[in-house]
Amino acid sequence: MSIAIRNTWEHFAHGADIGVRGIGSTKEAAFEQIALALTGVITDLESVRPDVAVPITCEAPVDDLLLVDWLNALVYEMATRRMLFSSFAVAIEDSRLQATARGEGVDRIRHEPAVEIKGATFTALRLERQEDGQWIAQCVVDV
Amino acid sequence: MDLSLLTRKSDVEWWIEPHGGMRVPGIIYASEALVKDMDAKVYEQLMNVATLPGIERASYAMPDAHWGYGFPIGGVAAFDADRGGVVSAGGVGFDISCGVRVLATGLTMQEVEPIKKRLADELSRSVPAGVGSVGRLRLDAGEMDAMLTGGARWAVDRGYGAAADLERIEEHGCMTGARPDEVSERAKNRQRDEMGTLGSGNHYLEVQQVVKILDPAVAAAFQLREGDVVVSIHCGSRGLGHQVGTDFLKRMAIEASTYGIALPDRELACAPIDSPLGQAYLGAMRAATNCALANRQIITHLVRRAWAGIAPRADLTLLYDVSHNTCKVESHQVDGQTKPLFVHRKGATRALGPGHPDLPPVFASIGQPVLIGGTMGTASYVLVGTSDGLARSFASSCHGAGRSMSRHAAVKRWRGRQLIDELAGRGILIRSPSPRGVAEEAPGAYKDVVAVVDAADRAGLSRTVARLEPLVCIKG
């Protein structure tokens, strides 16, 4: 009997900064979950309305670099559009990622954003499928 | 950190003897208590840095060292281009040229106390801080490149501050060798609305009082007296610097093997100094340094304007501006030979002693001010560079208290609004858009800055001059 894998995300401790982790039944789901964890570093996810869709694409020679690229693409879109995202749909084919991130403009009163993210790092970087079929995507982000 | 792994050279100097692939020893300057509290990752990262090609003398950790990216934060390493030395994006960090500047106000505690609340409110309104904030300045492509080439000098030319400020900024306010053409469009896009913004995280703008003078002669030369009020600004190169770090970390990680460099940790991503990629990074990193210098200069202008509206008698003069995430070319003596080295300081402050030729005339006989940021509830320090520092750590010292607790743990332990109330009870006014951000930056989440500064002093890296305590803190 197979055990259903729950898609979820969490943060983990790092000395100066913070780790983000996505867990999913597929690689794509793990990428979506880690993106939720990324927003969770900044604000309460529940407070962000998924009103506006932003297309995102990135490419990297290996999968774990693609993960870092994905997070850095989100950091870039958040910074230049002054938005926060709370919903993600990711498709990965070979070394290319196509995604839609949905969110809204930063509302400093409602979102009370805690900290901006400077970039995703290679520290504690992990992208792997575990024996039970669960995908883990994680790294530390610099804040 | 396990002390048994180290050779104790003195109360404040500990060595990792070279072993495995280490080309030089690792040297930690810290008290026994600070070393014990250091993450074991600092040990591993110091060893990894010591394996990089062309490293000279040692891989150093300052007293506030903690787990960083590739390099420990509080790490110093110098490389010789002629011996295959490297430049590392991880060795400089994401927030290129992040640093601290301190301004005298010409006012005393007695004069500022009655206007403190108005000052806090006005500074909070005047200086954009935190996620989603934008500066009032928009740069077109030409101005962006001029800023990246000119640094604080560009800002002064545009009316932000005075020419007299420039002598009191490292590199005289302008890093030469900047290559705006090596800065990606994405990096420039991130910066377009962010000039003159403070950022978030551990960045701050503080009004502080000088509570104790520890070296009267040097303090007098720095024009610091007990009871004086000063302003400290801690921030960096904003979105542009972060993106330059991101761009080159990836490029260096991918291309390192083509240069025959085996990276023990991908975050140590680097390239030979004399390679096209190494030169491209140096050009972009220097442009980002100028962005940080221009940013702090614009914020200084905003701060002066805010003070002028409330306390017209205030005269905000710059003591000094230091950067603590850098790679600079400096002349150093190694084995009796003077040669140019590429000195990486990742969370470490340059601390030139008296007589050093790179000092501005105003500090030539004293040494440079070394500005150490604390937390919103403890203290910051002004130190001075020493002559001994050159031989000990390539003239480097600590940069701050250094975190002792993760943000994750801090948020679980403290509530932002409660902290703000507690600090207000102690006469420290906090202005921040985010209570959670305040909790993450709780004073208790940092190491004891007194222990850090004391270790830097006892190790001869720099000498303590004055203790500053916060009155007002603006956080992003």
Side-chain angles (χ1 to χ4, degrees), chain A residues 12-17 123-124 140, chain B residues 38-42 44-45 64-73 265 403 447:
Chain A
F12 61 94
H14 172 268
D17 295 300
T123 297
V140 170
Chain B
M38 274 179 198
D39 197 300
K41 287 278 182 188
V42 174
E44 190 185 306
Q45 293 188 324
D64 50 341
H66 52 281
W67 180 21
Y69 304 107
F71 278 56
I73 297 166
D265 170 359
R403 286 191 81 92
K447 289 178 192 171

Side-chain angles (χ1 to χ4, degrees), chain A residues 76-139:
Chain A
Y76 175 80
E77 297 298 341
M78 285 193 286
T80 52
R81 294 173 188 269
R82 298 189 194 286
M83 284 181 71
L84 294 167
F85 300 115
S86 58
S87 168
F88 306 90
V90 172
I92 300 170
E93 201 168 328
D94 299 326
S95 56
R96 189 171 165 78
L97 176 149
Q98 282 190 295
T100 304
R102 292 179 175 276
E104 63 170 329
V106 175
D107 179 331
R108 283 154 62 88
I109 307 291
R110 190 155 47 82
H111 296 136
E112 289 190 350
V115 71
E116 70 183 351
I117 298 170
K118 295 173 185 169
T121 76
F122 300 145
T123 297
L125 174 59
R126 206 173 131 204
L127 176 66
E128 63 188 26
R129 186 167 188 256
Q130 299 190 303
E131 278 181 11
D132 61 2
Q134 176 174 260
W135 280 86
I136 304 270
Q138 69 168 52
C139 75

Side-chain angles (χ1 to χ4, degrees), chain B residues 240-263:
Chain B
L240 185 137
H242 309 165
Q243 191 65 41
V244 168
T246 296
D247 293 342
F248 280 91
L249 201 62
K250 181 181 174 186
R251 285 175 65 182
M252 286 178 169
I254 292 172
E255 291 183 37
S257 62
T258 65
Y259 294 113
I261 300 170
L263 294 176

Side-chain angles (χ1 to χ4, degrees), chain A residues 10-13 18, chain B residues 403 405-416 418-419 435-442 445:
Chain A
E10 60 192 11
H11 293 150
F12 61 94
I18 194 158
Chain B
R403 286 191 81 92
M405 185 188 287
S406 71
R407 291 176 181 279
H408 195 64
V411 170
K412 285 188 175 166
R413 182 141 170 203
W414 290 287
R415 291 279 165 272
Q418 193 182 344
L419 269 175
R436 181 173 135 193
V438 171
E440 291 185 4
E441 288 293 316

Side-chain angles (χ1 to χ4, degrees), chain B residues 161-214:
Chain B
D165 295 337
L166 298 174
E167 190 193 13
R168 290 169 175 267
I169 302 172
E170 284 181 332
E171 317 303 326
H172 306 283
C174 175
M175 186 69 144
T176 56
R179 293 276 307 275
D181 57 313
E182 295 291 359
V183 176
S184 69
E185 279 309 307
R186 285 171 84 81
K188 291 174 183 174
N189 284 342
R190 273 179 80 170
Q191 194 59 28
R192 249 175 252 294
D193 298 332
E194 291 198 353
M195 290 311 296
T197 61
L198 193 63
S200 64
N202 64 357
H203 295 154
Y204 61 76
L205 160 63
E206 281 190 355
V207 179
Q208 301 163 325
Q209 56 171 324
V210 180
V211 293
K212 196 168 189 184
I213 297 295
L214 297 130

